[in-house]
Amino acid sequence: MTASTPVPLIADLRSDTVTTPTPEMREAMAQAQVGDDVYGEDPTVNALQAEVARLTGHEAGLFMPSGSMTNQAAIAVHTRRGEEVICAEGSHIYEWELGMMAAFSGVVPRFVPAPLGVPAPEDVRRAVLRSPHQSPSGMISLENTHNKAGGTVIPLDVLAAIRAVADAEGLPLHLDGARVFNAATALNVPLHDITRHFGTVSVCLSKGLGAPVGSVLVGSRAHMKEAHRYRKMLGGGMRQAGILAAAALVALRDVPARLREDHRRTRQLAEALVNAGFDVDLAAVQTNIIYAALPDAQARVDAWAARGVRASALGHDRVRFVLHHQVSDEALEGAIAVLTA
Ligand SMILES: *Cc1c(COP(=O)(O)O)cnc(C)c1O
């Protein structure tokens, strides 16, 4: 035996970031009008920013290379050094953004308990600090859907109640909406019913929406002007980024209507896993993400990969499956056969 033959891929369920641009996206990229976006002169980037602002009901938008950058630029806009960011436990802005809130903005997180990713408004209120002996609260940040909790959705009445806390305390409210389109789909409401509660929102185009690169931060024109400076500091001034924005505009047009299918397939996979004896909390399966608790996670993931199904091992005893628009019903059936064998 020499080099092993590559295994034909049945389904890549590691993340919804693994999608590749559709032929329509490629075509739009090839045709895109571009200019220097650091000067604000890329017409396609400007069109994308206006479209995300319109969909979210905000004044303005700013295109950046990643969701970590849109989140961290928002934190820099809203806080001063030495302050705290109140956020749900397990929030991406802390867990998966490499200490950047401390490294860049000089702020620290204060976690609020969040069963199924949903913090209680009263706990958020109690987390607000005003004493001269403690770091003052600088902002509140929510995550919807909540990645680490399982792609879970915050109910609209909870959002409204947390917005009321933020208003009463005079604190800015940010949304890490990497998957806010999934949240809107699950709640069956227009996007702005969620996003209108927030001062700034980070929207990822490269997750379930399937664009190759990028996120948009939305908020007031004044906030976007400040965020523009932080984007440049963070190395996110991308010049002729219209080729990326063009793909994102196609993603916004074509993919949101398909998220419902992703959620249906996720449910189907979750139920098949439970029937096969996997430890999956079905109450946490609300959108396109499934976590299963199982020992030797990496070994199991490696064995599935050898049979053409890719998943993520998170820690020693947890695996994650994420659905996206490039997993068909047929691929899902193939994946279920491998995973439940
Ligand atoms: C993916 C993700 C982000 C942004 O990640 P990037 O890889 O930096 O684009 C932010 N928040 C959540 C909840 C995410 O899942």
Side-chain angles (χ1 to χ4, degrees):
M1 289 269 289
T2 49
S4 57
T5 10
V7 193
L9 182 69
I10 296 170
D12 191 342
L13 307 176
R14 288 173 301 164
S15 176
D16 46 10
T17 58
V18 300
T19 57
T20 53
T22 61
E24 292 78 12
M25 290 178 200
R26 295 274 192 182
E27 182 58 27
M29 293 171 86
Q31 303 298 333
Q33 306 267 326
V34 297
D36 190 327
D37 177 51
V38 175
Y39 293 101
E41 290 173 4
D42 187 303
T44 311
V45 169
N46 291 340
L48 173 66
Q49 292 173 165
E51 177 61 2
V52 180
R54 185 187 69 78
L55 288 167
T56 53
H58 281 267
E59 231 170 51
L62 191 61
F63 186 48
M64 302 198 201
S66 73
S68 297
M69 193 182 288
T70 43
N71 279 334
Q72 294 302 326
I75 290 170
V77 164
H78 292 307
T79 59
R80 293 195 298 169
R81 302 184 72 76
E83 290 184 336
E84 289 191 348
V85 176
I86 298 171
C87 54
E89 60 186 350
S91 287
H92 194 284
I93 55 165
Y94 177 68
E95 294 282 346
W96 282 313
E97 295 184 15
L98 291 89
M100 194 57 169
M101 72 165 72
F104 188 63
S105 294
V107 295
V108 288
R110 177 167 294 270
F111 283 145
V112 172
L116 289 179
V118 182
E122 183 52 24
D123 287 339
V124 174
R125 194 190 60 76
R126 263 197 285 260
V128 177
L129 298 180
R130 296 280 180 228
S131 130
H133 309 290
Q134 291 171 297
S135 335
S137 306
M139 68 185 286
I140 301 169
S141 179
L142 300 180
E143 187 173 311
N144 196 18
T145 66
H146 193 295
N147 182 340
K148 204 175 179 197
T152 51
V153 180
I154 304 178
L156 290 179
D157 59 332
V158 175
L159 284 185
I162 293 176
R163 165 66 190 268
V165 170
D167 286 349
E169 299 291 344
L171 290 174
L173 185 60
H174 170 72
L175 176 65
D176 178 352
R179 296 188 178 81
V180 69
F181 277 89
N182 294 87
T185 300
L187 291 169
N188 203 16
V189 297
L191 200 66
H192 54 79
D193 278 8
I194 297 173
T195 51
R196 68 190 176 84
H197 292 292
F198 298 87
T200 49
V201 181
S202 160
V203 180
C204 285
L205 304 158
S206 59
K207 296 275 168 81
L209 296 187
V213 176
S215 291
V216 173
L217 183 68
V218 296
S220 68
R221 257 184 271 284
H223 280 153
M224 291 310 102
K225 193 165 174 233
E226 275 185 76
H228 190 273
R229 180 165 68 89
Y230 293 122
R231 184 182 72 171
K232 192 72 167 65
M233 289 173 76
L234 289 163
M238 292 190 289
R239 311 298 177 182
Q240 286 74 30
I243 52 167
L244 300 175
L249 279 163
V250 173
L252 282 173
R253 183 195 70 198
D254 292 352
V255 186
R258 303 177 62 178
L259 295 177
R260 196 173 304 283
E261 290 293 286
D262 294 346
H263 295 184
R264 174 182 62 72
R265 292 189 184 103
T266 306
R267 194 77 206 168
Q268 190 185 333
L269 174 57
E271 286 170 2
L273 291 171
V274 167
N275 289 338
F278 280 81
D279 181 0
V280 173
D281 177 6
L282 284 177
V285 180
Q286 301 175 6
T287 56
N288 67 326
I289 300 177
I290 301 169
Y291 284 94
L294 89 178
D296 295 328
Q298 190 61 54
R300 296 294 296 275
V301 163
D302 291 344
W304 294 327
R307 299 190 56 203
V309 178
R310 306 183 79 177
S312 296
L314 298 171
H316 296 293
D317 49 14
R318 217 167 168 224
V319 295
R320 190 182 75 170
F321 307 93
V322 186
L323 277 283
H324 51 76
H325 76 105
Q326 289 174 344
V327 179
S328 64
D329 282 324
E330 194 191 358
L332 182 67
E333 279 183 27
I336 289 173
V338 168
L339 296 170
T340 61

